[in-house]
């Protein structure tokens, strides 16, 4: 039986009436995305139509999921909410704090010792508040959610940007910050601007070397890293129906890389097969009763241009394997053009590592298809030129592929089997030699390839591709190897061409596992004590942020003017910093250390206007905080791209930054800033970015009349005494302005709980 089956049945029981009412209110057929949105309104039955991209709407998600790195801060915040138990089904998954180095057994043992304090904290908090806990080694959050919790037509939020993976099972699953999760866990509504809709029609059928991964790599190339911002991407068509459920999950997963709110597919036979294979035939039975409500109305897919704000069509029969990168997931190169692209751009052609796994591509099918390439190479006497590493998505996947001989196949090529965890995908990789900073190329099946993300080396050129292409490129040792046309020499000097990959969508003998790693919470957690040592360097109880004093902010110094791409990795690095995710003071020492200073083109070096000297960004900001001097951060387009990492908002808030003024925001980061009581502002005139000088001081002249739809006016005073007046737009509504005035959204929740 599925987890929370009664909740799922209840969601299906109320869905028809709500969707029918929404269709009547909107006055036209509905997309799948609209059906799920209107079925999850906080107000229950829809009373009016919402404007896409304009109206803020309150929703009631079905469940919440948190990974261990973000769960620490989310649960520390929840402890302030004054609740005895979470209001909706919630889970915590330990997958981020395990470093890949030696191999699964050793790495898990090391992590269990090094992070014992954090794992014990998460376990006890989960036990106390009715939260399902998945132990270290159980698997990657999004694979476990797909295997156990996702269901067609549902809505969930998660404290990781790749929560969207569950769209592969027909959900609207959305990445958020911990404060958003606290809202829902506390029994409150969750607010989202009603998304725009992008339709992707998939015709034809995947074949040969082309995989589901290539669909999203192509979409990313079309839309870029910000093209999906504020939108849900809905996939449909014969090509979608012919694809596996986990393949759909891969596509939805990387929707985070185009800034999409989420992505999804309509309920179909592939989902039925997957649900049944993972022991959830009861969900299939319930879903089949409302199947017409779990996909778009027929008129929508018959005439998609009428119903979507943007339409993309991709013929899968013509789609080539893609290799995206380096340094950004939206730079797409078809495999047939990689040779000329690599040579033209000076990319290192020698592939040093091939990495398979992560939440994006760690399913049974992914592993089986990649292993089929390895098996061919072994049979033909071909020695791999690059090192290999795999991260199974869950203990259930690992156990099953070991039983079926897939791991043994990989090991024939000396593959390192890492823990069922995120590992290199999030920078948790102790790669030998990375500290030398040498220029090199790696290929992986992950979702992100930002500079320094995998191994900390800014000169590592990371390319994203499918698991089967990772295998082929790693075996060949060449970035420009095209397995469709090129051959490899075996140990006899013979030219061998690899055949296209094969692999079962689902294990023919079914999934199996001895211990999945799940800990159910106590029925009554009231007597459980959660202890946090005051001397801990890993965990720190939170103090409420101060409320706004009601006055205009004046005398704010420029902390940094960030140049170009500034992701959450730049604002709050992962890797070794993950150990401090539960200690706001300690992790604040990584604030903006990866951002490039527009004036010096260096990172982690900014001018201290109090002394005139240069120092690390956190050091300068701590000096401003000690002197009670407010500050402001200025940035470029799509500021905060990447993770749902709310530390990137909490750190500047904690250290005294008052506002972030940029050309444009990534969705999750803008919301996170708002939730923490920060001012998230955009230039009304983007050219004003160029007016900001290194010694500038900012004065807000009309913050006392902060109101929805009304730009704020800033006086920018330069070192020579001259000044510019600029307008800053914002997207705050009345409720969000309330967060700012109260000091944070959590302050309001805590106040309501105490009332």
């Amino acid at each position: 039986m599925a987890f929370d089956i009664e909740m799922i049945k209840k969601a299906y029981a109320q869905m028809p009436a709500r969707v029918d009412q929404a269709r009547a209110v909107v006055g036209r057929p509905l997309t799948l995305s609209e059906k799920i949105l209107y079925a999850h309104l906080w107000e229950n039955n829809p009373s009016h139509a919402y404007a896409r991209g304009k109206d803020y709407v309150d929703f009631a998600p079905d469940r919440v999921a948190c990974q261990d790195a973000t769960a620490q801060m989310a649960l520390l915040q929840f402890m302030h909410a004054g609740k005895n138990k979470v209001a909706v089904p919630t889970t915590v998954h330990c997958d981020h704090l395990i470093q890949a180095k030696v191999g699964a057994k050793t790495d898990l043992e090391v992590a269990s010792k090094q992070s014992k304090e954090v794992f014990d904290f998460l376990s006890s908090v989960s036990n106390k508040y009715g939260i399902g806990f998945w132990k270290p080694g159980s698997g990657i959050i999004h694979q476990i959610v797909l295997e156990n919790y996702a269901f067609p037509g549902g809505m969930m939020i998660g404290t990781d940007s790749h929560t969207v993976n569950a769209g592969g099972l027909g959900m609207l699953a959305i990445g958020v910050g911990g404060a958003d999760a606290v809202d829902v866990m506390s029994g409150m509504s969750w607010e989202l601007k009603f998304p725009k809709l992008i339709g992707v029609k998939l015709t034809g059928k995947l074949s040969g070397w082309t995989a589901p991964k290539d669909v999203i790599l192509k979409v990313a190339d079309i839309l870029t890293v910000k093209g999906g911002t504020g939108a849900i991407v809905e996939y449909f068509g014969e090509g979608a129906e012919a694809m596996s459920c986990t393949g759909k999950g891969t596509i939805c997963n990387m929707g985070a890389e185009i800034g999409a709110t989420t992505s999804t597919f309509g309920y179909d036979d592939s989902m039925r097969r997957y649900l049944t294979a993972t022991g959830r035939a009861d969900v299939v039975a319930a879903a089949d009763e409302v199947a017409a409500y779990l996909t778009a109305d027929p008129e929508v897919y018959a005439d998609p241009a009428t119903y979507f704000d943007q339409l993309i069509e991709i013929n899968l029969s013509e789609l080539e394997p893609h290799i995206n990168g380096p340094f950004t997931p939206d730079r797409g190169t078809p495999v047939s053009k990689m040779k000329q692209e690599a040579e033209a751009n000076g990319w290192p052609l020698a592939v040093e590592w091939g990495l398979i796994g992560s939440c994006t591509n760690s399913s049974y099918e992914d592993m089986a298809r990649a292993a089929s390439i390895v098996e061919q190479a072994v049979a033909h006497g071909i020695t791999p030129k690059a090192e290999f590493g795999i991260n199974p998505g869950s203990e259930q996947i690992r156990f099953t592929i070991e039983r079926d001989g897939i791991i043994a196949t990989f090991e024939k090529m000396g593959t390192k089997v890492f823990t069922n965890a995120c590992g290199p995908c999030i920078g948790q990789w102790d790669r030998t030699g990375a500290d030398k900073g040498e220029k090199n190329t790696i290929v992986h099946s992950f979702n992100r390839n930002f500079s320094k993300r995998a191994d900390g080396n800014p000169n590592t050129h990371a390319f994203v591709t499918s698991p089967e292409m990772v295998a082929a490129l790693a075996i060949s040792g060449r970035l420009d190897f095209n397995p469709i046309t090129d051959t490899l020499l075996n140990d006899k000097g013979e030219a061998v061409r690899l055949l296209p990959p094969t692999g079962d969508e689902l294990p023919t003998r079914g999934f199996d596992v001895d211990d999945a790693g799940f800990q159910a919470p106590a029925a009554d957690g009231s007597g459980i004590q959660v202890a946090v040592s005051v001397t801990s360097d890993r965990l720190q109880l939170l103090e409420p942020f101060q409320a706004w004093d009601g006055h205009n902010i004046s005398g704010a110094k420029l902390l940094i003017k960030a140049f170009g791409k500034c992701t959450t990795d730049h604002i709050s690095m992962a890797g070794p910093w993950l150990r401090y995710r539960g200690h706001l003071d300690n992790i604040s020492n990584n604030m903006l250390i990866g951002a490039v200073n527009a004036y010096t083109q260096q990172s982690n070096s900014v001018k201290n206007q109090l002394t005139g000297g240069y120092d690390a960004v956190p050091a300068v900001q701590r000096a401003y905080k000690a002197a009670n001097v407010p500050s402001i951060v200025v940035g470029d387009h799509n500021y905060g791209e990447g993770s749902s990492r709310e530390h990137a908002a909490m750190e500047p808030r904690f250290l005294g930054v008052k506002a972030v003024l940029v050309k444009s925001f990534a969705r999750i980061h803008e919301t996170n800033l708002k939730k923490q009581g920060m001012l998230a502002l955009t230039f009304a005139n983007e050219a004003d970015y160029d007016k900001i000088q290194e010694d500038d001081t900012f004065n807000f002249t009309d913050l006392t009349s902060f109101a929805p739809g009304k730009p704020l006016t800033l006086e920018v005073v330069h070192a020579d005494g001259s000044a510019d007046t600029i307008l800053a737009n914002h997207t705050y509504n009345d409720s969000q302005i309330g967060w700012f005035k109260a000091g944070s959204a959590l302050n309001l929740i805590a106040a309501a709980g105490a009332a």
Side-chain angles (χ1 to χ4, degrees), residues 49-68:
Y50 291 103
R52 299 178 191 170
K54 294 182 180 179
D55 291 339
Y56 280 97
V57 184
D58 289 333
F59 292 101
D62 298 306
R63 65 178 314 111
V64 175
C66 310
Q67 40 94 334
D68 51 353

Side-chain angles (χ1 to χ4, degrees), residues 392-414:
S394 68
E395 175 57 17
Q396 178 169 269
I397 293 292
R398 188 212 61 78
F399 189 96
T400 304
I401 64 175
E402 181 176 52
R403 179 201 68 189
D404 292 352
I406 292 174
I407 285 182
T409 295
F410 278 115
E411 288 178 335
K412 291 174 185 177
M413 280 208 161

